Amino acid sequence: MELRNTPICFLILLSIPSYVLPLQDKLKGHQINTDQSGLLAFKKSISSDPQNFLGNWNETIPICQWNGVSCSLNGKRVTGLDLKRKYLQGAISPFLCNLSYLEQLDLSENSLHGKIPIEFGSLSSLEEFSLRANQVQDEVPESFGQLKRLRFIDLSRNQLRGRLPLSLFYNCTRLQYVDLSDNMFIGFIPSQIGHHLNSLETLRLYLNQLSGIIPASLSNSSSLVELDLEYNFLTGTLPSEILQNMPLLEILYLSGNSLESNDANTNLSPFFTSISNLTHLRELQLAGNMLGASLGNLTQLRILLLHENLFSETIPPSLGGCINLDILDFSYNKLTGTIPAEIVGFRNMGLYFNMSNNFLSGELPMELSKMDMVCAIDLSSNNFNGNIPPNLANCEAAEMINLSHNSLQGTVPSSLGKFLNLQTLDLSHNLLSGEIPASLSKSRSLVHLNLSFNNFNGSIPQGGLFNSLSIESFQGNQHLCWPSAEMQRCHSKKASTSYSCKFLIFLVTTISMSVFLATISCGLGFNMIKGFKIIKDNKASSNFLMSLKSNYPRISYNEIVKATGGFEKSRLIGCGSFGHVYKGVLRDRSLVAVKVLKLQSGNSTKSFDRECQILKRIRHRNLMRIITACSLPDFKALVLPFMANGSLESHLYPKNYGSSLQLSLNMRVNICSDVAEGLSYLHHHSPVQVIHCDLKPCNILLDNDMTALVSDFGIARLVMDVGEVKETTENTNSSTANLLCGSIGYIAPEYGMGRSASVKGDVYSFGVLILEVVTRKRPTDDLFKEGLSLPKWVKSHYHGRMEEIIDPYIIKSLRDQIPEVRNTWEISIVELVELGLLCTQEAPSTRPTMIDAADDLDRLKRYLSGDNTMTFASSLGLSSSVVILKN
Ligand SMILES: *[C@@H]1O[C@H](CO)[C@@H](O)[C@H](O)[C@H]1NC(C)=O
Ligand SMILES: *[C@@H]1O[C@H](CO)[C@@H](O)[C@H](O)[C@H]1NC(C)=O
Ligand SMILES: *[C@@H]1O[C@H](CO)[C@@H](O)[C@H](O)[C@H]1NC(C)=O
Ligand SMILES: *[C@@H]1O[C@H](CO)[C@@H](O)[C@H](O)[C@H]1NC(C)=O
Ligand SMILES: *[C@@H]1O[C@H](CO)[C@@H](O)[C@H](O)[C@H]1NC(C)=O
Ligand SMILES: *[C@@H]1O[C@H](CO)[C@@H](O)[C@H](O)[C@H]1NC(C)=O
Ligand SMILES: *[C@@H]1O[C@H](CO)[C@@H](O)[C@H](O)[C@H]1NC(C)=O
Ligand SMILES: *[C@@H]1O[C@H](CO)[C@@H](O)[C@H](O)[C@H]1NC(C)=O
Ligand SMILES: *[C@@H]1O[C@H](CO)[C@@H](O)[C@H](O)[C@H]1NC(C)=O
């Protein structure tokens, strides 16, 4: 019986102790041939290899040169096989089991199907094995219990079924990383799972069909950092042993199960009291269970997802102790009472605050305005009353605020026009009254505004945002009037109590349609709703979680090495005084740019981490977001989103003309305006003032829709804090000094005289950048080597010979325009040049602030798009006299 299941090659190997093998190799010398025939048999089982990756797997070529193959140092045995994402199709050949020295086997992200060969149990050297994201079926063979050296196993995203492989959890005592998620495993989690896995750090079993309880024995795996059991059918309580004995636990995902609170009758149930012992916990997701309780002090917690539970108490003020929360989602519970001031004082909250769909009441706390880094606030569908706090606009980073479906009263504070990043504001279904503040039309960011179903009166303001809103945003406000036909007209004030004929017809039609639709959906409704819910459970929520996870990848050095193919040369997309930038792919397949910082000696990890935390929280549509950072004593890297359209540099000076687009004048103005907005945020609005120090076209990146994002901001800050600041000022040749002052051609003259970095220095660099964008002349051009800077050169041509200095492409497109457009363009070009010259004046104090520059560029943008009422503050008074094209 035993013998039948034990693979042959396993027996052969077992009879030779592994430490004798090198000697055996020497004696026999043909072991490499075994590896070769194993690999060739594997190749044979592959039915499709679209990239011909296995093309050089041929007897005539030495095996150690085959693609994806790595060998031991003496070149005698194959120790690694990396076939990740090679689009291979076919079965997995059992002959691979002959590679008895194989330590790493990565077959992830292919289309391999069939079973995992039982013979793999004889890969006695195997330490890392990934089959992630294939179409492998059937059970995990029990023979895996023989893989004594296994540390890392990832079988996630396949169609594996049956019970969890018990032998793996008993015998493979070195396991650190186990990911069996997103398969079809059924049954219980083995109750003894934790008895022997002392080194286990990550256990992911999410998206399976596991039932039963969470075994208490897991608490024996006291190294566990991440436990992810989401979306199974687990019941019972979370064992208190886990909560007490897992000091290192950082991530606990239990959403989408049917867990219960330990003691539903008390407010501070043991469950949550004991959670306060998990001092390292960063992410806790319990959404969609049936818990009901309160929380303790979790100072490291960054993500708390408790939506769709049955919490029916008031919000405990003690939650305010979770001072590092980024996401708090309590939506769809049965919470009552007010929002305690303690918890809205979450100054650090960086993503979202969602209390929607509860029974919360009382006034909105003034402290809401302290959340100046939060991106979204959703308090909709509660019973809040009172006024909208006028200082709400202090939530500077907010992009979405939803206060709809409450009982808010009073007027809308005109200060709401001051939001810097707000794109969506939903105030519908409240009791708000008074006039709609005209200040809202001035907001540059607002796109969606909903004021429906309130008691607003007066006329709808004109201009800006309001020109693009439809009646959908204002319906159900009886006393509101609008210049166009759908609503009552503004001049017929007397008739305001009676509806216009058209509006009555509209209303009657709408109502009867709704009644009709409601009747139909009552008939069809139930099934549809059910169907929808299933879809939502399996897809939407897991997508949501995925996106959340990709927002917060925890990145280790190894992951960075993997993501960048070991800092492979072909992945290098940029380099500068800070270090190198590589294109990388994270485990979730998202594309990123990895910036590896060059470090000085005598660095301090702590201050780097602290600075990083600050910079991670700086959010603005024109500033590059830092996704995460990796910080080790001698290695520091930043992970940033990958930008599809490259850098401004690559568009101004394309290496290959076919591959980049020519920047139109409009695009150039937009880019300058974006950069100005980003810098002005850094200088004047961000939580800490940041001086960029190295503004230049290769640090301006362009996303899919050509929005410009300033990158590398604050790196000087990071590196400066890490390296020794003193050393920097003394030794001007060190590269940190370079970091401080920026790049040649863009450095403000006062830096040369020993002045330290200042916002005015950035303004100077920005001025150079503008001039460069208009002239398409590098400030480092030979032309400017003999003391004549780009600004001086432009200035010397300012009267009369403008045509000679403007980018020929713009001049050419000017010629094609009708005279009116040409005139507008010429004025715009002159405005740009003037702003560039103002920003590059010698005396720092005479340069404008970035706020002024941003305002100017905003006006210019609007002028170019046809708004003729603009005047320009920056004007040197010469615009009207300058003509670029002489007819
Ligand atoms: C191996 O390479 C040789 C010469 O490069 C070629 O002639 C032969 O067809 C190849 N064999 C296979 C199996 O691809
Ligand atoms: C390799 O593996 C296969 C199947 O697992 C086995 O039949 C064969 O004897 C092994 N040895 C060699 C040298 O190929
Ligand atoms: C576990 O290891 C022991 C020896 O340490 C071995 O006898 C047993 O067969 C292994 N179990 C499985 C399921 O492989
Ligand atoms: C921890 O493991 C030991 C055996 O190694 C076992 O006796 C004990 O019950 C386990 N603890 C829990 C909480 O299961
Ligand atoms: C926290 O841990 C300590 C030490 O293990 C233990 O004595 C205490 O009971 C735990 N507290 C809770 C609330 O579980
Ligand atoms: C939470 O913190 C407060 C004050 O820092 C402390 O008094 C309290 O005992 C802590 N609670 C728990 C459960 O650790
Ligand atoms: C809560 O609100 C935020 C912000 O609007 C949103 O991203 C999140 O999906 C919401 N949560 C749920 C469960 O709908
Ligand atoms: C605001 O919340 C309400 C109710 O929760 C929802 O119906 C509405 O779609 C939300 N508004 C926006 C703009 O997301
Ligand atoms: C505004 O809210 C109302 C009511 O919730 C809704 O019917 C309407 O479609 C919303 N308007 C817009 C523009 O989203």
Side-chain angles (χ1 to χ4, degrees):
M1 281 277 289
E2 276 279 296
L3 273 181
R4 214 161 48 104
N5 281 345
T6 314
I8 299 166
C9 38
F10 170 56
L11 285 180
I12 297 171
L13 280 168
L14 203 74
S15 61
I16 309 168
S18 61
Y19 54 84
V20 190
L21 272 171
L23 183 64
Q24 296 280 332
D25 286 354
K26 268 187 198 147
L27 294 178
K28 294 193 176 164
H30 65 255
Q31 299 279 16
I32 194 95
N33 295 336
T34 322
D35 290 351
Q36 177 173 310
S37 47
L39 289 175
L40 286 175
F42 175 83
K43 180 178 175 178
K44 233 183 215 162
S45 70
I46 297 299
S47 55
S48 165
D49 173 15
Q51 295 181 333
N52 196 26
F53 189 75
L54 308 182
N56 71 352
W57 288 26
N58 182 326
E59 279 106 337
T60 61
I61 298 173
I63 181 171
C64 295
Q65 291 171 21
W66 294 6
N67 285 339
V69 172
S70 40
C71 289
S72 56
L73 283 179
N74 60 12
K76 289 243 158 71
R77 296 302 303 252
V78 173
T79 54
L81 182 58
D82 181 358
L83 299 177
K84 181 176 178 176
R85 201 179 309 133
K86 298 295 176 268
Y87 310 97
L88 304 175
Q89 277 176 31
I92 307 173
S93 165
F95 280 73
L96 274 188
C97 81
N98 287 327
L99 286 88
S100 48
Y101 270 46
L102 198 63
E103 290 169 6
Q104 284 110 15
L105 176 57
D106 189 347
L107 303 175
S108 61
E109 299 178 39
N110 287 294
S111 300
L112 303 174
H113 54 78
K115 298 183 185 187
I116 303 178
I118 183 171
E119 289 84 352
F120 274 20
S122 61
L123 288 168
S124 54
S125 304
L126 200 63
E127 294 176 8
E128 296 178 17
F129 179 43
S130 179
L131 254 182
R132 188 191 125 82
N134 278 283
Q135 286 135 32
V136 180
Q137 290 134 1
D138 219 346
E139 305 195 5
V140 179
E142 282 291 311
S143 64
F144 268 44
Q146 293 155 7
L147 303 174
K148 293 276 162 52
R149 288 167 180 256
L150 201 61
R151 284 186 295 109
F152 177 104
I153 182 166
D154 187 347
L155 305 178
S156 63
R157 298 185 52 204
N158 278 291
Q159 289 141 29
L160 295 165
R161 46 179 78 242
R163 294 178 180 271
L164 293 176
L166 200 62
S167 64
L168 191 71
F169 296 129
Y170 277 12
N171 265 5
C172 305
T173 51
R174 297 194 189 179
L175 279 175
Q176 290 174 3
Y177 183 103
V178 177
D179 191 346
L180 304 178
S181 54
D182 206 350
N183 278 292
M184 296 182 288
F185 290 113
I186 56 164
F188 298 161
I189 302 177
S191 62
Q192 311 89 327
I193 185 168
H195 285 184
H196 305 293
L197 302 181
N198 293 325
S199 310
L200 195 64
E201 290 172 8
T202 302
L203 179 62
R204 297 183 179 165
L205 302 175
Y206 65 88
L207 276 171
N208 279 295
Q209 293 154 27
L210 301 171
S211 51
I213 58 163
I214 301 175
S217 73
L218 268 178
S219 66
N220 267 334
S221 304
S222 55
S223 315
L224 208 62
V225 173
E226 174 176 346
L227 177 60
D228 189 343
L229 305 176
E230 280 176 342
Y231 299 97
N232 280 292
F233 301 114
L234 299 172
T235 50
T237 61
L238 183 59
S240 50
E241 287 89 345
I242 291 196
L243 303 168
Q244 279 159 25
N245 303 344
M246 299 200 129
L248 302 178
L249 202 61
E250 291 182 15
I251 294 180
L252 180 58
Y253 292 159
L254 300 171
S255 297
N257 284 292
S258 304
L259 300 176
E260 290 156 27
S261 164
N262 296 32
D263 183 351
N265 292 325
T266 55
N267 269 1
L268 281 169
S269 73
F271 181 100
F272 279 113
T273 316
S274 48
I275 255 185
S276 58
N277 255 1
L278 299 178
T279 47
H280 283 71
L281 205 61
R282 291 193 300 143
E283 302 181 18
L284 175 61
Q285 306 195 2
L286 297 167
N289 282 292
M290 297 186 296
L291 302 158
S294 310
L295 288 158
N297 298 351
L298 302 169
T299 52
Q300 296 304 309
L301 200 62
R302 286 169 50 203
I303 297 187
L304 182 55
L305 295 188
L306 298 168
H307 55 91
E308 291 159 81
N309 277 293
L310 297 172
F311 292 95
S312 59
E313 310 152 21
T314 55
I315 304 171
S318 67
L319 189 59
C322 305
I323 48 171
N324 278 310
L325 274 182
D326 257 345
I327 295 184
L328 178 59
D329 197 336
F330 260 116
S331 60
Y332 299 96
N333 278 290
K334 299 189 159 86
L335 296 171
T336 54
T338 58
I339 299 186
E342 287 86 350
I343 82 154
V344 284
F346 284 131
R347 283 221 51 191
N348 288 335
M349 181 167 294
L351 284 173
Y352 70 78
F353 179 69
N354 193 343
M355 292 275 165
S356 70
N357 292 280
N358 279 291
F359 303 114
L360 296 167
S361 54
E363 298 200 0
L364 297 180
M366 293 292 271
E367 285 82 359
L368 213 52
S369 64
K370 286 190 193 159
M371 293 201 278
D372 54 3
M373 297 189 197
V374 75
C375 285
I377 298 176
D378 193 343
L379 302 177
S380 64
S381 297
N382 279 291
N383 301 323
F384 291 113
N385 53 37
N387 297 333
I388 298 177
N391 56 358
L392 195 60
N394 290 354
C395 300
E396 283 186 345
E399 291 169 8
M400 206 274 319
I401 292 183
N402 193 345
L403 304 178
S404 71
H405 294 268
N406 279 296
S407 306
L408 299 172
Q409 295 146 15
T411 57
V412 173
S414 64
S415 59
L416 294 199
K418 288 193 199 139
F419 275 110
L420 288 173
N421 292 298
L422 196 67
Q423 291 165 19
T424 304
L425 178 61
D426 193 342
L427 301 176
S428 63
H429 285 280
N430 277 294
L431 305 170
L432 298 165
S433 54
E435 299 206 353
I436 301 172
S439 66
L440 287 178
S441 73
K442 298 221 176 71
S443 167
R444 286 183 200 165
S445 55
L446 207 57
V447 186
H448 307 286
L449 174 67
N450 200 339
L451 302 174
S452 299
F453 301 100
N454 280 291
N455 293 325
F456 289 112
N457 58 34
S459 62
I460 293 170
Q462 299 284 297
L465 156 81
F466 289 96
N467 292 351
S468 58
L469 292 178
S470 73
I471 188 169
E472 291 277 287
S473 295
F474 305 97
Q475 29 173 342
N477 285 288
Q478 293 186 13
H479 306 294
L480 206 57
C481 62
W482 207 2
S484 64
E486 295 95 331
M487 281 202 181
Q488 47 189 318
R489 287 175 183 282
C490 289
H491 50 77
S492 56
K493 272 219 168 107
K494 277 177 195 161
S496 65
T497 43
S498 66
Y499 297 106
S500 78
C501 193
K502 257 190 185 164
F503 185 61
L504 258 184
I505 292 173
F506 170 76
L507 201 70
V508 170
T509 325
T510 313
I511 290 175
S512 42
M513 279 291 280
S514 323
V515 171
F516 176 65
L517 284 177
T519 322
I520 293 187
S521 37
C522 283
L524 296 175
F526 195 68
N527 281 334
M528 279 166 62
I529 287 169
K530 241 175 128 182
F532 174 73
K533 192 159 169 39
I534 289 166
I535 291 171
K536 192 189 167 206
D537 278 349
N538 288 347
K539 264 199 165 148
S541 34
S542 70
N543 277 350
F544 168 70
L545 287 160
M546 292 304 149
S547 68
L548 202 68
K549 276 177 196 162
S550 60
N551 272 344
Y552 278 91
R554 296 190 323 122
I555 200 113
S556 65
Y557 179 73
N558 278 339
E559 281 172 84
I560 287 195
V561 171
K562 282 207 175 126
T564 57
F567 307 111
E568 202 181 277
K569 263 208 174 129
S570 64
R571 307 273 188 97
L572 197 64
I573 49 175
C575 52
S577 48
F578 301 127
H580 297 286
V581 190
Y582 297 87
K583 183 174 176 174
V585 189
L586 294 185
R587 271 188 302 188
D588 66 357
R589 299 196 199 196
S590 55
L591 277 181
V592 290
V594 180
K595 180 158 292 196
V596 181
L597 303 184
K598 235 185 254 168
L599 287 177
Q600 306 293 300
S601 55
N603 49 42
S604 144
T605 296
K606 241 190 189 154
S607 61
F608 175 88
D609 291 351
R610 195 191 58 235
E611 289 300 322
C612 239
Q613 283 304 326
I614 296 173
L615 293 178
K616 254 156 91 177
R617 287 161 189 282
I618 290 184
R619 283 163 202 281
H620 186 276
R621 72 183 278 272
N622 301 118
L623 295 176
M624 188 66 142
R625 190 164 55 90
I626 296 180
I627 300 179
T628 188
C630 174
S631 166
L632 298 169
D634 51 358
F635 177 86
K636 313 242 178 272
L638 299 173
V639 180
L640 316 161
F642 183 76
M643 290 288 122
N645 268 321
S647 67
L648 174 59
E649 163 105 8
S650 68
H651 291 280
L652 285 178
Y653 314 107
K655 292 209 174 80
N656 163 3
Y657 261 85
S659 69
S660 72
L661 33 128
Q662 291 281 15
L663 298 174
S664 68
L665 180 61
N666 265 312
M667 281 164 136
R668 291 180 208 223
V669 170
N670 286 345
I671 288 172
C672 290
S673 164
D674 285 346
V675 174
E677 298 283 350
L679 280 182
S680 131
Y681 181 85
L682 284 180
H683 287 179
H684 303 286
H685 303 294
S686 85
V688 287
Q689 187 182 52
V690 176
I691 300 167
H692 189 294
C693 297
D694 198 10
L695 194 70
K696 55 185 176 183
C698 67
N699 283 335
I700 311 296
L701 301 179
L702 301 166
D703 74 3
N704 282 330
D705 51 6
M706 294 300 281
T707 302
L709 284 86
V710 178
S711 82
D712 271 9
F713 58 85
I715 290 203
R717 209 186 150 90
L718 289 174
V719 181
M720 222 164 66
D721 267 22
V722 173
E724 290 278 303
V725 183
K726 271 186 205 149
E727 190 185 306
T728 302
T729 38
E730 281 161 18
N731 180 0
T732 40
N733 285 331
S734 82
S735 65
T736 9
N738 200 11
L739 292 177
L740 258 181
C741 297
S743 304
I744 292 168
Y746 303 87
I747 309 173
E750 68 269 20
Y751 287 1
M753 299 183 289
R755 290 264 203 105
S756 59
S758 70
V759 290
K760 293 291 186 190
D762 275 358
V763 174
Y764 181 91
S765 309
F766 176 69
V768 176
L769 185 94
I770 294 186
L771 297 176
E772 183 173 4
V773 164
V774 192
T775 59
R776 202 146 62 85
K777 279 260 180 301
R778 281 184 197 271
T780 50
D781 210 299
D782 279 345
L783 190 66
F784 311 119
K785 286 254 165 87
E786 305 98 41
L788 193 66
S789 63
L790 174 64
K792 283 185 180 150
W793 179 72
V794 171
K795 210 167 182 176
S796 69
H797 286 71
Y798 194 70
H799 293 283
R801 290 181 292 153
M802 285 284 272
E803 191 176 345
E804 288 171 30
I805 58 167
I806 307 296
D807 179 1
Y809 172 77
I810 294 188
I811 296 292
K812 187 171 156 284
S813 48
L814 258 186
R815 289 208 159 85
D816 300 338
Q817 303 304 324
I818 55 167
E820 293 80 52
V821 176
R822 189 195 293 174
N823 185 37
T824 307
W825 284 26
E826 285 187 341
I827 291 179
S828 306
I829 293 170
V830 172
E831 280 305 325
L832 265 185
V833 171
E834 285 192 348
L835 182 59
L837 291 177
L838 271 179
C839 291
T840 51
Q841 291 179 98
E842 289 282 317
S845 61
T846 56
R847 296 173 204 152
T849 64
M850 278 320 300
I851 294 186
D852 296 337
D855 275 348
D856 243 30
L857 282 160
D858 185 58
R859 271 193 293 272
L860 189 54
K861 232 163 76 176
R862 284 192 270 165
Y863 174 70
L864 258 179
S865 62
D867 188 340
N868 283 319
T869 61
M870 294 301 127
T871 54
F872 302 104
S874 79
S875 179
L876 298 173
L878 294 166
S879 315
S880 51
S881 65
V882 178
V883 177
I884 296 176
L885 275 191
K886 307 234 163 48
N887 284 323

